[in-house]
Amino acid sequence: MYADSTAVLGPLAAYIEPHSYDLCAEHSTRLTAPRGWAVLRLAEPDPGPPQPSSDDLEALAKAVREAARGTRGERAGGDDSTVLSRPRTHLRALPDPDA
């Protein structure tokens, strides 16, 4: 907030803002503002267990759709009885490494 002469430090940005920059923990603790400016340090939110984002869910849905399309194989000339290839696409559930 340049007009307010305030430097605000908080969690990493969730979107691109032209006048904000992400800093590592070391640099954020050493940051100093110009003389006469205030430094406002916002508390980090409690991260808790990670939650799936919409990007994760969209990627999973896309993988399922692609796997479903690939299991049909390619048909020769519209004849449903002749399968030219049957790709080996499948999804597997992996165990949680932290469990």
Side-chain angles (χ1 to χ4, degrees), residues 26-94:
E26 179 183 349
H27 284 102
S28 67
T29 57
R30 294 186 352 201
L31 179 111
T32 59
R35 189 174 298 140
W37 281 49
V39 177
L40 177 61
R41 295 180 187 270
L42 303 176
E44 292 282 334
D46 179 23
Q51 299 296 318
S53 70
S54 62
D55 291 342
D56 295 336
L57 297 175
E58 288 174 23
L60 179 59
K62 182 179 177 184
V64 169
R65 280 193 299 271
E66 288 176 1
R69 270 195 298 257
T71 58
R72 293 186 189 132
E74 295 178 22
R75 307 277 179 197
D79 180 9
D80 287 348
S81 63
T82 307
V83 177
L84 297 177
S85 66
R86 188 172 299 275
R88 294 182 175 195
T89 57
H90 56 276
L91 300 175
R92 290 189 181 136
L94 299 176

